[in-house]
Amino acid sequence: MAWIQLRIHTHRDNADLLGDLLMDQGSLSITYEDGQDEPIFEPKLGETPLWQDTVMIALFDAGTDLAPTIEFLESMPFLGKGFNHKIEQVEDKDWIREWMDSFHPIQFGSRLWICPSWREIPDPTAVNVILDPGLAFGTGTHPTTALCLEWLDSLDLSNQEVIDFGCGSGILAIAAIKLGAKKVTGVDIDYQAIDASKANAERNDVVDKLALYLPEDQPANLQADVLVANILAGPLKELAPLIAEKVKIGGKLALSGLLQEQAQEVSDFYSQWFIMDPVSNKEDWSRLTGIRK
Ligand SMILES: C[S@@+](CC[C@H](N)C(=O)[O-])C[C@H]1O[C@@H](n2cnc3c(N)ncnc32)[C@H](O)[C@@H]1O
């Protein structure tokens, strides 16, 4: 199935009205684009800013005759005869298929491979995590995940208990198990992450070593030898006392999900509880590691 889209340049003050008119005309969805490459600065709270020259893109079923819609819009004083518009055919792609085609096995560190479940395993003798992220975050292609995977690969996890805080697809938790951890606890606020982690644990035959919890259900006195958290700077600072509590004295910590410019501040904050190492970077992102005091 294909679609057609009608692109209309308008002033931002007319965008709401034009959106309503297009929906009345049978548009299935409306998106907005910048008409002239004009930056929008940080909006005020409660404000949804648009560009002065906004392009509204209205999607219609293929085969829709847009002539009556154009005629109707031409009768609107704020548009007028010959208003600035374009009609385009849109090819209907299989986006999921395209994404799957682009996701290949990737090696992290010296032992670990993340292999999409629909691909052949390149090295069956390596430590292979078979992964289908589903709707959850965590394929290994993002630098923050890669930084954590490389760190896990560098550790001797045999006989260690690990916590993966913000487990997403379960990629780090399952990698830790495959790298030798005896037990891993994954925690996430998102049900879809818990479901995806469960399904990936089954795929990797490690269900018996992985416990998964929503934050409110996690055991109160849970402690581990190793904790990895790839979240974001804000939540990592908020969660710091709780995260510190979960790491045994002498235990290891890795935090990711931080932009380079946020890393030092978060590192200084965590140094209340941890002896922090120098920051490691990949692209715009940073990873912090430390040892629990
Ligand atoms: C960037 S993803 C990381 C996923 C995976 N661990 C990885 O490294 O690719 C962050 C995950 O943390 C979860 N998350 C965000 N805030 C959280 C919180 N306060 N407690 C637990 N999980 C949280 C999100 O739902 C998301 O699945």
Side-chain angles (χ1 to χ4, degrees):
M1 184 171 179
W3 314 90
I4 46 175
Q5 61 184 22
L6 174 58
R7 301 170 67 89
I8 305 174
H9 279 261
T10 191
H11 189 277
R12 64 175 154 225
D13 292 349
N14 300 321
D16 279 351
L17 172 60
L18 183 54
D20 291 345
L21 295 175
L22 287 163
M23 292 308 270
D24 282 350
Q25 292 291 310
S27 169
L28 303 166
S29 75
I30 296 177
T31 48
Y32 301 84
E33 259 181 23
D34 179 3
Q36 286 188 10
D37 204 15
E38 174 195 345
I40 282 190
F41 299 104
E42 190 107 336
K44 293 195 191 89
L45 204 63
E47 195 181 67
T48 310
L50 282 177
W51 304 270
Q52 189 160 327
D53 177 6
T54 293
V55 182
M56 303 199 41
I57 306 159
L59 195 70
F60 293 85
D61 276 329
T64 308
D65 177 10
L66 287 181
T69 298
I70 303 295
E71 200 180 319
F72 167 71
L73 293 174
E74 281 183 332
S75 72
M76 294 292 127
F78 71 92
L79 289 173
K81 201 118 192 99
F83 68 92
N84 188 349
H85 72 275
K86 206 165 154 190
I87 296 172
E88 295 168 337
Q89 298 287 331
V90 183
E91 189 196 337
D92 192 26
K93 290 192 187 169
D94 183 344
W95 296 107
I96 295 179
R97 185 74 251 165
E98 283 220 343
W99 174 78
M100 285 172 82
D101 287 348
S102 71
F103 184 22
H104 293 271
I106 314 175
Q107 185 173 14
F108 297 91
S110 59
R111 299 173 286 167
L112 181 63
W113 281 82
I114 303 298
C115 303
S117 56
W118 54 94
R119 297 254 180 228
E120 236 175 79
I121 294 174
D123 177 3
T125 65
V127 177
N128 289 301
V129 173
I130 317 298
L131 196 86
D132 182 343
L135 295 174
F137 185 102
T139 56
T141 52
H142 196 273
T144 58
T145 311
L147 284 162
C148 295
L149 290 168
E150 285 161 8
W151 181 72
L152 289 171
D153 179 77
S154 74
L155 302 179
D156 177 6
L157 290 174
S158 43
N159 223 23
Q160 300 281 284
E161 292 192 21
V162 178
I163 296 173
D164 175 7
F165 215 86
C167 59
S169 64
I171 184 168
L172 304 179
I174 295 166
I177 296 171
K178 290 258 174 136
L179 287 164
K182 73 171 173 202
K183 188 185 159 213
V184 178
T185 303
V187 180
D188 205 292
I189 48 172
D190 183 355
Y191 284 101
Q192 279 172 348
I194 301 288
D195 284 351
S197 295
K198 218 177 265 174
N200 281 318
E202 279 162 15
R203 250 176 217 113
N204 288 277
D205 203 14
V206 297
V207 175
D208 53 330
K209 291 192 176 165
L210 181 62
L212 293 163
Y213 298 102
L214 291 167
E216 57 271 29
D217 301 331
Q218 62 187 312
N221 47 7
L222 187 67
Q223 272 208 325
D225 308 287
V226 174
L227 187 148
V228 60
N230 177 14
I231 313 185
L232 287 171
L236 283 176
K237 275 184 79 175
E238 272 168 38
L239 291 166
L242 190 100
I243 284 179
E245 229 173 62
K246 293 187 183 303
V247 185
K248 293 179 188 167
I249 308 292
K252 298 184 175 76
L253 171 80
L255 306 174
S256 192
L258 304 157
L259 289 165
Q260 283 200 32
E261 57 268 27
Q262 300 169 323
Q264 197 52 54
E265 190 202 331
V266 178
S267 178
D268 292 346
F269 192 66
Y270 269 78
S271 62
Q272 296 176 65
W273 303 279
F274 294 87
I275 301 164
M276 299 302 288
D277 302 317
V279 180
S280 300
N281 297 319
K282 196 181 255 309
E283 296 170 32
D284 295 335
W285 299 91
S286 296
R287 178 193 67 206
L288 301 175
T289 54
I291 303 284
R292 181 75 161 101
K293 293 187 207 170

